[in-house]
Amino acid sequence: MVGLLLVGHSEDVVRGLVAMIAQAAPSVPVAGAGGLGDGRLGTNGLDVADALRSVLARTADDGVLVLLDLGSASMALDVALDELDVAAREHIRVSEAPFVEGAVLAAVVAAGGVDLEAVAHAAERAASVPKRTRD
């Protein structure tokens, strides 16, 4: 099953989003890396690498979709990707989807057992899903 990695600047936000996914799609492998060890906002590439390895170990080569809260989280992800071998990197896709909506939608779709491409598409589609009906 496709897994998710959530990379954010706030440990609380990332932990909360992991909890949402655990409730919405409990079978989906998910891990998060957010904040710095002392409670400050930020991202740590080595923490991201550990979380990424954790999800990869649970996906049986189905792949991992990575969602980022802000663009600068990609720097920590780059550090993490450098820690992995080429074969592992082939199973990772980075999404431009909205962090919360994209992660939840991706998790629900991943729970259906679809491939990484379908999960990524679902996450990116979240940007166009309205929060309220428009009259």
Side-chain angles (χ1 to χ4, degrees):
M1 178 173 296
V2 172
L4 301 177
L5 174 65
L6 311 174
V7 181
H9 285 75
S10 167
E11 181 180 3
D12 292 335
V13 170
V14 171
R15 190 178 328 116
L17 187 50
V18 168
M20 284 179 70
I21 290 168
Q23 287 184 38
S27 62
V28 174
V30 60
L36 301 175
D38 58 3
R40 290 180 298 138
L41 296 177
T43 55
N44 179 313
L46 298 178
D47 290 345
V48 175
D50 289 343
L52 186 52
R53 283 189 200 98
S54 168
V55 178
L56 280 168
R58 295 180 279 152
T59 62
D61 295 333
D62 290 330
V64 175
L65 183 67
V66 180
L67 291 105
L68 309 169
D69 69 343
L70 301 169
S72 61
S74 67
M75 291 183 288
L77 177 61
D78 288 341
V79 169
L81 292 173
D82 286 344
E83 294 288 315
L84 300 177
D85 61 41
V86 174
R89 280 184 250 156
E90 291 176 4
H91 298 286
I92 298 165
R93 174 145 178 203
V94 182
S95 178
E96 293 290 329
F99 194 56
V100 174
E101 296 91 335
V104 173
L105 189 54
V108 170
V109 170
V114 300
D115 65 12
L116 181 56
E117 186 65 31
V119 173
H121 179 71
E124 289 164 10
R125 194 177 70 231
S128 62
V129 175
K131 293 177 184 8
R132 298 179 52 142
T133 58
R134 299 173 201 252
D135 298 330

